[in-house]
Amino acid sequence: MAKKRQKRLSPTAGIFRDDQSLCMQWCHNNAIKIYLLPKPWNSEEYEIEIMEQGTKIKSGVKYPVEEAYTKVWELYCHYYDANNK
């Protein structure tokens, strides 16, 4: 039986804003990690988890792959903006 092909992300997938790399770097330096949880093999959607200084928070919402990557960047920028006014 042939393997199911993975969907490829578009080149603009996950681009939220210009300084998103700075936001992610700031979060990692302050012990905030945001990542996609592994999905079941038969699912096309991902859940997001935030680990903030040892505390884990699940999103509870499942996102299609491109939307999930954009949401991760959005959350990194949200934490950065909330703590750097």
Side-chain angles (χ1 to χ4, degrees):
M1 190 158 132
K3 277 185 160 180
K4 186 176 178 184
R5 292 185 77 178
Q6 292 282 335
K7 287 185 182 179
R8 300 194 95 193
L9 293 176
S10 71
T12 59
I15 295 180
F16 179 65
R17 64 186 214 195
D18 293 334
D19 67 342
Q20 64 190 24
S21 296
L22 173 70
C23 298
M24 183 180 72
Q25 183 179 11
W26 182 89
C27 287
H28 284 199
N29 290 338
N30 289 283
I32 300 170
K33 309 269 190 283
I34 304 170
Y35 48 88
L36 301 178
L37 291 174
K39 67 181 180 78
W41 68 273
N42 60 349
S43 174
E44 294 292 326
E45 298 181 327
Y46 290 85
E47 204 169 350
I48 297 172
E49 186 168 87
I50 302 167
M51 186 182 344
E52 184 177 1
Q53 303 192 9
T55 304
K56 292 182 180 180
I57 304 166
K58 276 189 183 182
S59 66
V61 179
K62 295 188 179 202
Y63 301 96
V65 67
E66 286 198 21
E67 190 177 330
Y69 281 110
T70 303
K71 191 66 173 176
V72 167
W73 285 112
E74 184 179 327
L75 288 167
Y76 274 128
C77 293
H78 169 74
Y79 274 95
Y80 177 78
D81 291 341
N83 292 292
N84 292 300
K85 290 186 178 186

Coordinates of all heavy atoms in Angstrom, one line a residue:
M1 N 0.8 -1.2 0.0 CA 0.0 0.0 0.0 C 0.9 1.2 0.0 O 1.9 1.3 0.8 CB -0.9 0.0 1.2 CG -1.9 1.0 1.2 SD -3.2 0.5 2.4 CE -3.5 1.9 3.3
A2 N 0.6 2.2 -0.8 CA 1.4 3.4 -1.0 C 1.2 4.3 0.3 O 0.2 4.4 0.9 CB 1.0 4.2 -2.2
K3 N 2.3 5.0 0.6 CA 2.3 6.0 1.7 C 1.5 7.2 1.2 O 1.5 7.6 0.1 CB 3.7 6.4 2.0 CG 4.4 5.5 2.9 CD 5.7 6.2 3.3 CE 6.3 5.6 4.5 NZ 7.5 6.3 4.9
K4 N 0.8 7.8 2.2 CA 0.0 9.0 2.0 C 1.1 10.2 1.9 O 1.9 10.3 2.8 CB -1.0 9.3 3.1 CG -1.9 10.4 2.8 CD -2.9 10.5 3.9 CE -3.8 11.7 3.7 NZ -4.8 11.9 4.7
R5 N 1.0 11.0 0.9 CA 1.9 12.1 0.8 C 1.6 13.2 1.8 O 0.4 13.5 2.0 CB 1.9 12.7 -0.6 CG 2.5 11.7 -1.6 CD 2.5 12.3 -2.9 NE 3.7 13.2 -2.9 CZ 4.1 13.9 -4.0 NH1 3.4 13.9 -5.1 NH2 5.1 14.7 -3.9
Q6 N 2.6 13.8 2.4 CA 2.4 14.9 3.3 C 2.1 16.2 2.5 O 2.6 16.4 1.4 CB 3.7 15.2 4.1 CG 4.1 14.1 5.0 CD 3.2 14.2 6.3 OE1 2.8 15.3 6.7 NE2 3.1 13.1 7.0
K7 N 1.2 17.0 3.0 CA 0.9 18.3 2.4 C 2.1 19.2 2.6 O 2.8 19.3 3.6 CB -0.3 19.0 3.0 CG -1.6 18.3 2.7 CD -2.7 19.1 3.3 CE -4.0 18.4 3.0 NZ -5.2 19.1 3.6
R8 N 2.5 19.9 1.5 CA 3.6 20.9 1.6 C 3.0 22.3 2.0 O 2.0 22.7 1.5 CB 4.3 21.0 0.2 CG 4.8 19.6 -0.2 CD 5.8 19.8 -1.3 NE 7.1 19.8 -0.7 CZ 8.2 20.2 -1.3 NH1 8.1 20.6 -2.5 NH2 9.3 20.2 -0.6
L9 N 3.8 22.9 2.8 CA 3.4 24.3 3.2 C 3.7 25.3 2.1 O 4.7 25.1 1.4 CB 4.2 24.7 4.5 CG 3.8 23.9 5.7 CD1 4.7 24.4 6.9 CD2 2.4 24.1 6.1
S10 N 2.9 26.3 2.0 CA 3.2 27.3 1.0 C 4.4 28.2 1.6 O 4.7 28.2 2.8 CB 2.0 28.2 0.8 OG 1.8 29.0 2.0
P11 N 5.1 28.9 0.7 CA 6.3 29.7 1.1 C 5.9 30.7 2.1 O 6.8 31.2 2.9 CB 6.8 30.3 -0.2 CG 6.2 29.5 -1.3 CD 4.9 28.9 -0.8
T12 N 4.7 31.2 2.2 CA 4.3 32.2 3.1 C 3.6 31.7 4.3 O 3.2 32.5 5.2 CB 3.3 33.2 2.4 OG1 2.2 32.5 2.0 CG2 4.0 33.9 1.3
A13 N 3.6 30.4 4.5 CA 2.9 29.8 5.7 C 3.6 30.2 6.9 O 4.8 30.2 7.1 CB 2.9 28.3 5.6
G14 N 2.9 30.7 7.9 CA 3.4 31.1 9.2 C 4.0 32.5 9.3 O 4.4 32.9 10.3
I15 N 4.0 33.2 8.2 CA 4.5 34.6 8.3 C 3.4 35.5 8.9 O 2.3 35.7 8.3 CB 4.9 35.1 6.9 CG1 6.1 34.3 6.5 CG2 5.3 36.6 7.0 CD1 6.7 34.7 5.1
F16 N 3.7 36.0 10.1 CA 2.7 36.8 10.8 C 3.1 38.3 10.8 O 2.3 39.1 10.5 CB 2.6 36.3 12.3 CG 1.7 37.0 13.1 CD1 0.3 37.0 12.9 CD2 2.1 37.7 14.2 CE1 -0.6 37.7 13.7 CE2 1.2 38.4 15.0 CZ -0.1 38.4 14.7
R17 N 4.3 38.5 11.1 CA 4.8 39.9 11.0 C 6.3 39.9 10.8 O 7.0 38.9 11.0 CB 4.4 40.8 12.2 CG 4.9 40.4 13.5 CD 4.2 41.2 14.6 NE 5.1 41.4 15.7 CZ 4.8 41.8 16.9 NH1 3.5 42.1 17.1 NH2 5.6 42.0 17.8
D18 N 6.9 41.1 10.5 CA 8.3 41.1 10.2 C 9.3 40.8 11.3 O 10.3 40.2 11.1 CB 8.7 42.5 9.7 CG 8.0 42.8 8.4 OD1 7.7 41.9 7.6 OD2 7.8 44.0 8.1
D19 N 8.9 41.1 12.6 CA 9.8 40.9 13.7 C 9.5 39.6 14.5 O 9.9 39.5 15.6 CB 9.9 42.1 14.6 CG 8.5 42.3 15.3 OD1 7.5 41.8 14.9 OD2 8.5 43.0 16.4
Q20 N 8.9 38.6 13.8 CA 8.4 37.4 14.6 C 9.6 36.6 15.1 O 9.5 36.0 16.1 CB 7.5 36.6 13.7 CG 8.1 36.0 12.5 CD 7.0 35.4 11.6 OE1 5.9 35.7 11.7 NE2 7.4 34.4 10.8
S21 N 10.8 36.7 14.4 CA 11.9 35.9 14.9 C 12.5 36.5 16.2 O 12.9 35.8 17.1 CB 13.1 36.0 13.9 OG 12.7 35.3 12.7
L22 N 12.4 37.9 16.3 CA 12.8 38.5 17.5 C 11.8 38.1 18.7 O 12.3 37.9 19.8 CB 12.7 40.1 17.4 CG 12.9 40.9 18.6 CD1 14.4 40.8 19.1 CD2 12.6 42.3 18.3
C23 N 10.5 38.0 18.4 CA 9.6 37.6 19.4 C 9.9 36.2 19.9 O 9.8 36.0 21.1 CB 8.1 37.7 18.8 SG 7.6 39.3 18.3
M24 N 10.1 35.3 19.0 CA 10.4 33.9 19.3 C 11.7 33.9 20.2 O 11.8 33.1 21.2 CB 10.6 33.0 18.1 CG 10.8 31.6 18.5 SD 11.0 30.5 17.1 CE 12.6 30.9 16.5
Q25 N 12.7 34.6 19.8 CA 14.0 34.6 20.5 C 13.8 35.1 21.9 O 14.3 34.5 22.9 CB 15.0 35.4 19.8 CG 16.4 35.4 20.4 CD 17.4 36.3 19.7 OE1 17.0 37.0 18.8 NE2 18.6 36.1 20.0
W26 N 13.0 36.2 22.1 CA 12.7 36.7 23.4 C 12.0 35.7 24.3 O 12.3 35.5 25.4 CB 11.9 38.0 23.3 CG 11.6 38.6 24.6 CD1 12.4 39.5 25.3 CD2 10.5 38.3 25.5 NE1 11.9 39.8 26.5 CE2 10.7 39.1 26.7 CE3 9.4 37.5 25.4 CZ2 9.8 39.0 27.7 CZ3 8.6 37.4 26.5 CH2 8.7 38.2 27.6
C27 N 11.0 35.0 23.7 CA 10.3 34.0 24.4 C 11.2 32.8 24.9 O 11.1 32.4 26.0 CB 9.1 33.5 23.6 SG 7.7 34.6 23.4
H28 N 12.0 32.4 24.0 CA 12.9 31.3 24.3 C 13.9 31.7 25.4 O 14.2 30.9 26.3 CB 13.7 30.8 23.1 CG 12.8 29.9 22.2 ND1 13.4 29.1 21.3 CD2 11.5 29.8 22.1 CE1 12.4 28.5 20.6 NE2 11.2 28.9 21.1
N29 N 14.4 32.9 25.4 CA 15.3 33.4 26.4 C 14.6 33.6 27.8 O 15.2 33.6 28.8 CB 15.9 34.7 26.0 CG 16.9 34.6 24.9 OD1 17.4 33.5 24.7 ND2 17.1 35.7 24.2
N30 N 13.2 33.7 27.8 CA 12.4 33.8 29.0 C 11.6 32.6 29.3 O 10.6 32.7 30.0 CB 11.5 35.1 28.9 CG 12.3 36.3 28.9 OD1 12.8 36.8 30.0 ND2 12.6 36.9 27.7
A31 N 12.1 31.4 28.9 CA 11.5 30.1 29.2 C 10.1 30.0 28.8 O 9.2 29.4 29.5 CB 11.7 29.8 30.7
I32 N 9.7 30.5 27.6 CA 8.4 30.3 27.0 C 8.6 29.6 25.7 O 9.2 30.1 24.8 CB 7.7 31.7 26.8 CG1 7.5 32.4 28.1 CG2 6.3 31.5 26.1 CD1 7.1 33.9 27.9
K33 N 8.0 28.4 25.6 CA 8.1 27.6 24.4 C 6.7 27.4 23.9 O 5.8 27.0 24.6 CB 8.8 26.3 24.7 CG 10.1 26.4 25.4 CD 11.2 26.5 24.5 CE 12.6 26.3 25.2 NZ 13.0 27.5 25.9
I34 N 6.5 27.5 22.6 CA 5.2 27.3 22.0 C 5.4 26.3 20.8 O 6.3 26.6 19.9 CB 4.5 28.6 21.5 CG1 4.4 29.6 22.6 CG2 3.2 28.3 20.8 CD1 4.0 31.0 22.2
Y35 N 4.7 25.2 20.8 CA 4.9 24.2 19.7 C 3.7 23.4 19.4 O 2.7 23.5 20.2 CB 6.0 23.2 20.2 CG 5.8 22.7 21.6 CD1 5.1 21.6 21.8 CD2 6.4 23.4 22.7 CE1 4.9 21.1 23.1 CE2 6.2 22.9 24.0 CZ 5.5 21.8 24.2 OH 5.3 21.3 25.5
L36 N 3.7 22.7 18.3 CA 2.6 21.9 17.9 C 2.7 20.5 18.5 O 3.8 20.0 18.6 CB 2.6 21.7 16.4 CG 2.5 23.0 15.5 CD1 2.6 22.6 14.1 CD2 1.2 23.7 15.8
L37 N 1.6 20.0 19.0 CA 1.6 18.6 19.6 C 1.6 17.6 18.4 O 0.9 17.9 17.4 CB 0.4 18.4 20.5 CG 0.5 19.2 21.8 CD1 -0.8 19.1 22.6 CD2 1.7 18.8 22.6
P38 N 2.2 16.5 18.6 CA 2.1 15.5 17.5 C 0.7 15.1 17.3 O -0.1 14.9 18.2 CB 2.9 14.3 18.1 CG 3.7 14.9 19.2 CD 3.0 16.1 19.7
K39 N 0.3 14.9 16.0 CA -1.1 14.6 15.7 C -1.2 13.1 15.5 O -0.2 12.4 15.2 CB -1.5 15.3 14.4 CG -0.8 14.9 13.2 CD -1.2 15.6 12.0 CE -0.5 15.2 10.7 NZ -1.0 14.0 10.1
P40 N -2.4 12.5 15.7 CA -2.6 11.1 15.4 C -2.4 10.9 13.9 O -2.7 11.8 13.1 CB -4.1 10.9 15.8 CG -4.4 12.0 16.7 CD -3.6 13.2 16.3
W41 N -2.1 9.7 13.5 CA -1.8 9.5 12.1 C -2.9 9.7 11.1 O -2.8 10.0 10.0 CB -1.3 8.0 11.9 CG -2.3 7.0 12.2 CD1 -2.7 6.5 13.4 CD2 -3.2 6.4 11.2 NE1 -3.7 5.6 13.2 CE2 -4.1 5.5 11.9 CE3 -3.4 6.6 9.8 CZ2 -5.1 4.8 11.3 CZ3 -4.4 5.8 9.2 CH2 -5.2 5.0 9.9
N42 N -4.2 9.6 11.6 CA -5.3 9.8 10.8 C -5.9 11.2 10.8 O -7.0 11.4 10.3 CB -6.4 8.7 11.1 CG -6.9 8.8 12.5 OD1 -6.3 9.5 13.3 ND2 -7.9 8.1 12.8
S43 N -5.3 12.1 11.5 CA -5.8 13.5 11.6 C -5.1 14.5 10.7 O -3.9 14.3 10.5 CB -5.7 13.9 13.1 OG -6.0 15.3 13.2
E44 N -5.7 15.5 10.3 CA -5.1 16.6 9.5 C -4.9 17.8 10.3 O -4.6 18.9 9.8 CB -6.0 16.8 8.3 CG -6.1 15.7 7.3 CD -4.8 15.4 6.6 OE1 -4.0 16.3 6.4 OE2 -4.5 14.2 6.3
E45 N -5.2 17.8 11.6 CA -5.2 19.0 12.4 C -4.2 18.9 13.6 O -4.0 17.8 14.1 CB -6.6 19.3 12.9 CG -7.5 19.6 11.8 CD -8.9 20.0 12.2 OE1 -9.4 19.4 13.2 OE2 -9.6 20.8 11.5
Y46 N -3.7 20.0 14.1 CA -2.8 20.0 15.2 C -3.3 20.8 16.3 O -4.1 21.7 16.2 CB -1.5 20.7 14.7 CG -0.7 19.9 13.7 CD1 -0.9 20.0 12.4 CD2 0.4 19.1 14.2 CE1 -0.2 19.2 11.5 CE2 1.1 18.3 13.3 CZ 0.9 18.4 11.9 OH 1.6 17.7 11.0
E47 N -2.8 20.5 17.5 CA -3.2 21.2 18.7 C -1.9 21.9 19.2 O -0.8 21.5 18.9 CB -3.6 20.3 19.8 CG -4.5 20.9 20.9 CD -5.2 19.9 21.8 OE1 -5.1 18.7 21.5 OE2 -5.7 20.4 22.8
I48 N -2.0 23.1 19.8 CA -0.8 23.9 20.2 C -0.7 23.8 21.7 O -1.7 23.8 22.5 CB -1.0 25.4 19.8 CG1 -1.1 25.5 18.3 CG2 0.1 26.2 20.3 CD1 -1.5 26.8 17.7
E49 N 0.6 23.7 22.1 CA 0.9 23.7 23.6 C 1.9 24.8 23.9 O 2.8 25.0 23.2 CB 1.4 22.3 24.0 CG 1.6 22.2 25.5 CD 1.9 20.8 25.9 OE1 3.1 20.4 25.9 OE2 0.9 20.1 26.2
I50 N 1.7 25.4 25.0 CA 2.5 26.5 25.5 C 3.2 26.0 26.8 O 2.4 25.6 27.7 CB 1.8 27.8 25.8 CG1 1.0 28.3 24.5 CG2 2.7 28.9 26.3 CD1 0.0 29.3 24.7
M51 N 4.5 26.1 26.9 CA 5.2 25.7 28.1 C 5.8 27.0 28.6 O 6.7 27.6 28.0 CB 6.2 24.7 28.0 CG 6.8 24.3 29.3 SD 8.1 23.0 29.3 CE 8.2 22.3 27.8
E52 N 5.3 27.5 29.7 CA 5.8 28.8 30.3 C 6.3 28.5 31.7 O 5.6 28.2 32.6 CB 4.7 29.8 30.4 CG 5.1 31.1 30.9 CD 4.0 32.1 30.9 OE1 2.9 31.8 30.6 OE2 4.3 33.3 31.3
Q53 N 7.7 28.5 31.8 CA 8.4 28.2 33.0 C 7.9 26.9 33.7 O 7.6 26.9 34.9 CB 8.3 29.4 33.9 CG 8.8 30.7 33.2 CD 9.1 31.8 34.1 OE1 9.0 31.7 35.3 NE2 9.4 32.9 33.5
G54 N 7.8 25.9 32.9 CA 7.4 24.6 33.5 C 5.9 24.3 33.5 O 5.5 23.1 33.7
T55 N 5.1 25.2 33.3 CA 3.6 25.0 33.3 C 3.2 24.8 31.8 O 3.5 25.7 31.0 CB 2.9 26.3 33.9 OG1 3.4 26.5 35.2 CG2 1.4 26.0 33.9
K56 N 2.5 23.8 31.6 CA 2.0 23.5 30.2 C 0.5 23.8 30.1 O -0.3 23.5 30.9 CB 2.2 22.0 29.9 CG 3.6 21.6 29.8 CD 3.8 20.1 29.4 CE 5.2 19.7 29.3 NZ 5.4 18.3 29.0
I57 N 0.2 24.5 29.0 CA -1.2 24.9 28.6 C -1.5 24.4 27.2 O -0.7 24.7 26.3 CB -1.3 26.4 28.7 CG1 -0.9 27.0 30.0 CG2 -2.8 26.8 28.4 CD1 -0.7 28.5 30.0
K58 N -2.5 23.6 27.1 CA -3.0 23.1 25.8 C -4.0 24.1 25.2 O -4.8 24.6 26.0 CB -3.6 21.7 25.9 CG -2.6 20.6 25.8 CD -3.3 19.3 25.7 CE -2.4 18.1 25.7 NZ -3.1 16.9 25.6
S59 N -4.0 24.2 23.9 CA -5.0 25.2 23.3 C -6.4 24.7 23.4 O -7.3 25.5 23.5 CB -4.6 25.4 21.8 OG -4.7 24.2 21.1
G60 N -6.6 23.4 23.3 CA -7.9 22.8 23.3 C -8.6 23.0 21.9 O -9.7 22.5 21.7
V61 N -8.0 23.7 21.0 CA -8.5 23.9 19.7 C -7.6 23.2 18.7 O -6.4 23.3 18.8 CB -8.6 25.4 19.3 CG1 -9.2 25.6 18.0 CG2 -9.5 26.1 20.4
K62 N -8.1 22.6 17.7 CA -7.3 22.0 16.6 C -7.3 22.8 15.4 O -8.4 23.3 15.0 CB -7.8 20.6 16.3 CG -7.7 19.7 17.5 CD -8.0 18.2 17.2 CE -7.7 17.4 18.5 NZ -7.5 16.1 18.2
Y63 N -6.1 23.0 14.8 CA -6.0 23.9 13.6 C -5.4 23.1 12.5 O -4.6 22.2 12.6 CB -5.0 25.0 14.0 CG -5.3 25.9 15.1 CD1 -4.8 25.6 16.4 CD2 -6.1 27.0 14.9 CE1 -5.1 26.4 17.5 CE2 -6.5 27.8 16.0 CZ -6.0 27.5 17.2 OH -6.3 28.3 18.3
P64 N -5.8 23.4 11.2 CA -5.2 22.9 10.0 C -3.7 23.3 10.1 O -3.4 24.3 10.7 CB -5.9 23.5 8.9 CG -7.2 24.1 9.4 CD -6.9 24.3 10.9
V65 N -2.9 22.6 9.4 CA -1.4 22.8 9.5 C -0.9 24.2 9.2 O -0.2 24.8 10.0 CB -0.6 21.8 8.6 CG1 -0.9 22.0 7.1 CG2 0.8 21.8 9.0
E66 N -1.4 24.9 8.1 CA -0.9 26.2 7.9 C -1.4 27.2 8.9 O -0.7 28.1 9.3 CB -1.3 26.7 6.4 CG -0.5 26.0 5.4 CD -0.6 26.6 4.0 OE1 -0.9 27.8 4.0 OE2 -0.3 26.0 3.0
E67 N -2.6 27.1 9.3 CA -3.2 28.0 10.3 C -2.5 27.7 11.7 O -2.3 28.7 12.4 CB -4.7 27.7 10.5 CG -5.4 28.7 11.3 CD -6.9 28.5 11.4 OE1 -7.5 27.9 10.4 OE2 -7.5 28.8 12.4
A68 N -2.1 26.5 12.0 CA -1.4 26.2 13.2 C -0.1 26.9 13.3 O 0.3 27.5 14.3 CB -1.2 24.7 13.4
Y69 N 0.7 26.9 12.2 CA 2.0 27.6 12.2 C 1.8 29.1 12.4 O 2.6 29.7 13.1 CB 2.8 27.3 10.9 CG 3.5 25.9 11.0 CD1 3.0 24.9 10.2 CD2 4.5 25.7 11.8 CE1 3.6 23.7 10.2 CE2 5.1 24.4 11.9 CZ 4.7 23.4 11.0 OH 5.3 22.2 11.1
T70 N 0.9 29.7 11.7 CA 0.6 31.1 11.9 C 0.2 31.4 13.3 O 0.6 32.4 13.9 CB -0.5 31.5 10.9 OG1 -0.1 31.2 9.6 CG2 -0.8 33.0 11.0
K71 N -0.6 30.5 13.9 CA -1.0 30.7 15.3 C 0.1 30.7 16.3 O 0.2 31.5 17.3 CB -2.1 29.7 15.7 CG -2.8 30.0 17.0 CD -3.6 31.2 16.8 CE -4.5 31.4 18.1 NZ -5.2 32.7 18.0
V72 N 1.1 29.8 16.0 CA 2.3 29.7 16.9 C 3.0 31.0 16.9 O 3.4 31.6 17.9 CB 3.2 28.5 16.5 CG1 4.5 28.6 17.1 CG2 2.5 27.2 16.8
W73 N 3.2 31.6 15.7 CA 3.9 32.9 15.6 C 3.1 34.0 16.2 O 3.7 34.9 16.9 CB 4.2 33.2 14.1 CG 5.3 32.4 13.5 CD1 5.2 31.5 12.5 CD2 6.7 32.5 13.8 NE1 6.4 30.9 12.2 CE2 7.4 31.5 13.0 CE3 7.4 33.2 14.7 CZ2 8.7 31.3 13.1 CZ3 8.8 33.0 14.8 CH2 9.4 32.1 14.0
E74 N 1.8 33.9 16.0 CA 1.0 35.0 16.7 C 1.1 34.9 18.2 O 1.2 36.0 18.8 CB -0.5 34.7 16.2 CG -1.5 35.7 16.7 CD -2.9 35.3 16.2 OE1 -3.0 34.8 15.1 OE2 -3.8 35.6 17.0
L75 N 1.2 33.7 18.8 CA 1.3 33.6 20.2 C 2.7 34.1 20.7 O 2.8 34.7 21.7 CB 1.1 32.1 20.6 CG -0.4 31.7 20.6 CD1 -0.5 30.2 20.7 CD2 -1.2 32.4 21.6
Y76 N 3.7 33.8 20.0 CA 5.1 34.3 20.3 C 5.0 35.8 20.4 O 5.5 36.4 21.3 CB 6.1 33.8 19.3 CG 6.7 32.5 19.6 CD1 6.8 31.5 18.6 CD2 7.3 32.1 20.9 CE1 7.3 30.2 18.9 CE2 7.8 30.9 21.1 CZ 7.9 30.0 20.1 OH 8.4 28.7 20.4
C77 N 4.5 36.4 19.3 CA 4.4 37.9 19.3 C 3.5 38.5 20.4 O 3.8 39.5 20.9 CB 3.9 38.3 17.9 SG 5.2 37.9 16.6
H78 N 2.4 37.7 20.7 CA 1.5 38.2 21.8 C 2.3 38.2 23.1 O 2.2 39.2 23.9 CB 0.3 37.2 21.9 CG -0.4 37.5 23.2 ND1 -1.3 38.6 23.3 CD2 -0.5 36.8 24.3 CE1 -1.8 38.5 24.5 NE2 -1.4 37.5 25.2
Y79 N 3.0 37.2 23.5 CA 3.8 37.2 24.7 C 4.9 38.3 24.7 O 5.1 38.9 25.7 CB 4.5 35.8 24.9 CG 3.6 34.8 25.6 CD1 2.8 33.9 24.9 CD2 3.5 34.8 27.0 CE1 2.0 33.0 25.5 CE2 2.7 33.8 27.6 CZ 2.0 33.0 26.9 OH 1.1 32.1 27.5
Y80 N 5.5 38.5 23.6 CA 6.6 39.5 23.4 C 6.0 40.9 23.7 O 6.5 41.7 24.4 CB 7.2 39.4 22.1 CG 8.2 40.5 21.8 CD1 9.5 40.4 22.4 CD2 7.9 41.6 21.0 CE1 10.5 41.4 22.2 CE2 8.9 42.6 20.8 CZ 10.1 42.5 21.4 OH 11.1 43.5 21.2
D81 N 4.8 41.2 23.0 CA 4.2 42.5 23.1 C 3.7 42.7 24.5 O 3.8 43.9 25.0 CB 3.0 42.6 22.1 CG 3.5 42.7 20.7 OD1 4.7 43.0 20.4 OD2 2.7 42.4 19.8
A82 N 3.1 41.7 25.1 CA 2.5 41.9 26.5 C 3.6 42.2 27.5 O 3.3 42.8 28.5 CB 1.8 40.6 26.9
N83 N 4.8 41.7 27.3 CA 5.9 41.9 28.3 C 6.9 43.0 27.9 O 7.8 43.2 28.7 CB 6.6 40.6 28.5 CG 5.7 39.6 29.2 OD1 5.4 39.8 30.4 ND2 5.3 38.6 28.5
N84 N 6.7 43.6 26.8 CA 7.7 44.7 26.3 C 7.0 45.9 25.8 O 7.0 46.3 24.7 CB 8.6 44.1 25.2 CG 9.5 43.1 25.7 OD1 10.3 43.3 26.6 ND2 9.4 41.9 25.1
K85 N 6.2 46.5 26.7 CA 5.5 47.7 26.3 C 6.4 48.9 26.3 O 7.2 49.1 27.1 CB 4.3 47.9 27.2 CG 3.2 46.8 26.9 CD 2.0 47.1 27.7 CE 1.0 46.0 27.4 NZ -0.3 46.2 27.9

